[in-house]
Amino acid sequence: SQTIHQWPATLVQPVGSPLSLECTVEGTSNPNLYWYRQAAGRGLQLLFYSVGIGQISSEVPQNLSASRPQDRQFILSSKKLLLSDSGFYLCAWSVQPNSNQPQHFGDGTRLSIL
Amino acid sequence: DQQVKQNSPSLSVQEGRISILNCDYTNSMFDYFLWYKKYPAEGPTFLISISSIKDKNEDGRFTVFLNKSAKHLSLHIVPSQPGDSAVYFCAARALNTGNQFYFGTGTSLTVIP
């Protein structure tokens, strides 16, 4: 069966520090991969998605970036965090080719910027 | 531009009664619709989905209804249980855009024992 792992679960970082959140998927090949952010009291905002290694689409201009160095690994990064980067970050995967299959989410990372 | 909208941020229902969560969408190209359930500090869990070729899909206590002409989606939970208390997100996807799922802002359901 497929599983998705996301870490760390919680992270407290000072303003201006770098960020690296990692997500890996097991049990499937060539998945679509996604990074979302849920700000307090708000819905899920799509940040990045990837259909393959090295292929990243950005949905929201910001100081965050994403990379997919391996088929089942998705990394969210920042060189200098802002206070507004606080939130709950979620990684998700879905199958390819496109079919009526849901996205599956990791357990999320709670990021607090001080 | 919010293509999927959940206009009720919260809903309270007595245990044993029906919970009805609503969702509206604007993109007529959406062909696959989903509901997710989310507990605090956890990722959303897939609950139930429906293809645009259907108007109803049922799974146990959960039924999703799709009204394409009204661009409206609803989730019925019968009977509601305290463990159903969570935030529910509706989502939609258009096959011609393939890879993107569009989420609503969520409805927080509280089932009162």
Side-chain angles (χ1 to χ4, degrees):
Chain A
S1 63
Q2 301 90 357
T3 57
I4 179 168
H5 303 281
Q6 189 181 340
W7 67 93
T10 59
L11 189 60
V12 181
Q13 291 284 100
V15 170
S17 64
L19 172 74
S20 181
L21 302 181
E22 190 162 343
C23 172
T24 59
V25 180
E26 295 177 358
T28 188
S29 296
N30 198 27
N32 286 340
L33 296 172
Y34 308 80
W35 279 111
Y36 290 87
R37 175 171 59 204
Q38 184 185 19
R42 302 186 65 180
L44 300 177
Q45 180 187 35
L46 179 63
L47 302 175
F48 301 95
Y49 70 91
S50 172
V51 299
I53 296 174
Q55 300 179 62
I56 310 294
S57 296
S58 174
E59 291 302 301
V60 182
Q62 58 215 324
N63 69 319
L64 299 172
S65 63
S67 63
R68 185 170 177 173
Q70 300 180 49
D71 180 45
R72 290 169 289 177
Q73 184 185 28
F74 206 24
I75 297 172
L76 182 69
S77 304
S78 174
K79 293 181 180 178
K80 293 179 94 172
L81 285 166
L82 306 173
L83 281 174
S84 58
D85 292 324
S86 292
F88 191 55
Y89 288 81
L90 290 156
C91 182
W93 72 274
S94 67
V95 300
Q96 295 193 56
N98 298 312
S99 59
N100 286 349
Q101 295 292 323
Q103 281 185 328
H104 301 278
F105 287 83
D107 288 333
T109 295
R110 172 70 61 192
L111 176 63
S112 300
I113 310 301
L114 304 178
Chain B
D1 179 29
Q2 191 74 23
Q3 298 191 47
V4 178
K5 300 178 183 178
Q6 293 176 258
N7 293 318
S8 297
S10 63
L11 175 68
S12 291
V13 172
Q14 287 290 132
E15 181 178 4
R17 306 293 291 270
I18 184 171
S19 295
I20 300 176
L21 297 98
N22 293 302
C23 180
D24 297 296
Y25 61 94
T26 57
N27 189 341
S28 58
M29 297 302 293
F30 285 149
D31 60 358
Y32 180 52
F33 303 87
L34 312 91
W35 284 96
Y36 286 83
K37 176 180 180 180
K38 184 183 181 301
Y39 294 117
E42 294 183 9
T45 302
F46 169 68
L47 197 56
I48 192 169
S49 64
I50 188 168
S51 163
S52 60
I53 63 173
K54 296 185 176 181
D55 55 18
K56 176 183 175 181
N57 188 27
E58 190 172 352
D59 183 2
R61 297 186 296 115
F62 302 91
T63 303
V64 56
F65 294 92
L66 176 63
N67 182 334
K68 289 189 292 293
S69 61
K71 294 189 178 68
H72 181 79
L73 186 70
S74 63
L75 174 69
H76 293 208
I77 306 174
V78 182
S80 300
Q81 299 174 354
D84 296 329
S85 298
V87 176
Y88 289 79
F89 290 96
C90 66
R93 190 211 63 197
L95 192 59
N96 64 347
T97 61
N99 301 300
Q100 292 191 53
F101 289 74
Y102 297 86
F103 283 81
T105 52
T107 297
S108 178
L109 173 66
T110 301
V111 179
I112 304 164

